[in-house]
Amino acid sequence: MPSVPHRIDVHQHIVPAFYRDLLARQGIAEAGGRALPDWSPESALELMDLLGTATAIVSVSTPGAGFLDDQAEAARLARRLNDFSADLAAGHAGRFGWFATLPMPDVTASATEALRALTELGADGVTLLANNRGTYLGAEGQDPLWQILDEHAAVVFVHPADLPAPPVEGIPPFAADFLLDTTRAAYLLVRNGIPRRYPNVRFILSHAGGFVPYASHRMAVAIAADTGRSPLDVLHDFRGFYFDTALSSSPAALPTLLAFARPGHVLFGSDWPFAPTPAGQYFANGLDTHLAPGPLKAVNRTNAESLFTRFEGTPAPLRTRMRLRQSAQRAAARLVFKLVQPGTEPQGGVRPHAEPGRRGTNRRRRLRHGRGES
């Protein structure tokens, strides 16, 4: 049995009580076809201890703040959520970081709140939904926001939302539509040259990038035909994204992600509490089962350490002894994973290619880009 890693979870959500109440008043009781889950700091910490997570970079899931019709009200909600997140991180030193909520599709208000969150509140980055009321990331008119994020070398966590189309009966949006939503955003960002025009912005694509790794060459050919660019250049841009493993570290999805992603660009994610605890265990233990110790450590922790400045110069936190109950639960989950996925064996590593990390600076802080393994 592999040792318990000190994970950094870049895909974990919060559902504060005031936010749940506001959604309820708007008639919103679910997100992506899932009922809004219960959440508290205590339950989050319990899940983190169970999965061996040292720090979670938390975010607000869809619908964010943009469901409010009044733009000023949406901006106030984003500020309140960000103040709450900052207090959560401050009150649990070392356990929580956070991505700021922005009141998209209002670009001006989002740029203003991004600046406040990054410079005054100490946010680790910002969350952007793949589409906001049908307008996708990468569409025209978003440059004021990209300029702020580029100036501060921000990490942007791209999370899916409901597609701007009616759901198909029998297919919950989280199961398939969310993957398409993330893929659409990634396609448009690359097609319209956002990563090239704003190279200091680092994008994390949720759920292993949706369909991006699997369909990358097909999409690159389409973009090349549309723009006249080289398919290899387009693929280079797709590989520049970061990817989290939330609900994606299966023997089918994980090898494709590791074969495609740039070294150092794969990060651990759980998607809790929208992904219930058994699902978090299943996929976390699938990751533990499928990777050799070196790549596993990189995905679980060191790749994130290179991306977020909160971890610069800080030694990996030492875990206290794990309770016997938690150890037994993890062992049982690994057994279930092997039974459901027969014939899976740990891989010795990832593809042998490697690329040097790059270093960037900005007016507010220096961000270190380490060289890691996927």
Side-chain angles (χ1 to χ4, degrees):
M1 181 185 300
S3 61
V4 179
H6 307 308
R7 307 187 207 261
I8 296 172
D9 186 351
V10 304
H11 190 152
Q12 189 179 131
H13 296 300
I14 59 171
V15 189
F18 72 85
Y19 181 62
R20 176 192 291 276
D21 292 343
L22 180 58
L23 291 173
R25 290 198 294 272
Q26 296 290 321
I28 300 172
E30 62 179 35
R34 282 194 181 279
L36 292 175
D38 293 329
W39 176 88
S40 69
E42 294 74 25
S43 60
L45 291 169
E46 182 177 354
L47 178 279
M48 290 162 64
D49 288 343
L50 179 61
L51 297 187
T53 300
T55 304
I57 313 296
V58 299
S59 56
V60 174
S61 185
T62 183
F67 68 93
L68 294 168
D69 293 326
D70 186 284
Q71 292 183 348
E73 189 177 354
R76 286 193 293 271
L77 175 58
R79 289 177 64 92
R80 187 177 180 186
L81 287 167
N82 294 335
D83 289 341
F84 177 92
S85 298
D87 289 342
L88 175 69
H92 299 82
R95 300 308 305 272
F96 294 109
W98 59 286
F99 292 114
T101 300
L102 302 184
M104 290 289 276
D106 187 335
V107 172
T108 300
S110 294
T112 298
E113 182 59 17
L115 183 61
R116 184 183 84 96
L118 293 169
T119 61
E120 298 179 19
L121 300 183
D124 293 279
V126 304
T127 302
L128 289 175
L129 298 181
N131 90 85
N132 296 271
R133 297 180 175 237
T135 298
Y136 275 87
L137 300 181
E140 293 183 2
Q142 297 171 355
D143 290 277
L145 176 58
W146 301 131
Q147 288 166 3
I148 290 293
L149 298 177
D150 187 71
E151 178 182 348
H152 294 278
V155 177
V156 173
F157 177 60
V158 179
H159 192 278
D162 288 339
L163 292 176
V168 176
E169 185 176 356
I171 303 178
F174 75 86
D177 294 354
F178 269 18
L179 303 177
L180 176 58
D181 200 49
T182 300
T183 305
R184 284 179 167 184
Y187 188 103
L188 200 60
L189 287 167
V190 170
R191 190 265 180 207
N192 290 345
I194 302 303
R196 291 190 170 232
R197 289 159 53 197
Y198 302 100
N200 292 323
V201 179
R202 279 76 48 76
F203 293 93
I204 301 174
L205 301 183
S206 299
H207 309 117
F211 305 130
V212 168
Y214 185 83
S216 55
H217 288 253
R218 176 174 180 160
M219 295 191 297
V221 169
I223 292 175
D226 186 25
T227 64
R229 295 171 54 194
S230 164
L232 294 179
D233 287 343
V234 176
L235 283 170
H236 182 272
D237 289 351
F238 276 122
R239 292 186 68 232
F241 291 122
Y242 289 78
F243 305 85
D244 75 47
T245 65
L247 302 178
S248 303
S249 48
S250 69
L254 186 60
T256 302
L257 174 61
L258 296 177
F260 176 74
R262 188 172 295 172
H265 282 223
V266 180
L267 312 164
F268 175 76
S270 70
D271 204 5
W272 189 85
F274 287 91
T277 296
Q281 290 179 286
Y282 176 83
F283 285 101
N285 287 303
L287 189 68
D288 292 343
T289 300
H290 202 64
L291 288 182
L296 178 62
K297 181 179 179 181
V299 172
N300 277 335
R301 185 172 186 92
T302 56
N303 292 342
E305 286 179 321
S306 298
L307 185 61
F308 296 99
T309 55
R310 90 165 35 246
F311 302 107
E312 285 186 343
T314 303
L318 296 177
R319 292 277 299 160
T320 57
R321 58 183 179 86
M322 300 298 295
R323 289 177 292 179
L324 292 177
R325 178 182 64 84
Q326 295 169 345
S327 297
Q329 287 175 315
R330 282 195 298 274
R334 287 192 182 94
L335 178 59
V336 170
F337 183 87
K338 291 179 180 179
L339 291 174
V340 174
Q341 299 287 352
T344 58
E345 296 295 338
Q347 291 186 349
V350 296
R351 294 179 60 149
H353 62 284
E355 295 179 15
R358 60 190 181 102
R359 295 180 180 271
T361 57
N362 58 70
R363 296 178 187 176
R364 184 168 62 92
R365 61 188 180 180
R366 180 179 179 86
L367 294 180
R368 173 172 56 84
H369 298 268
R371 181 179 173 185
E373 298 174 271
S374 295

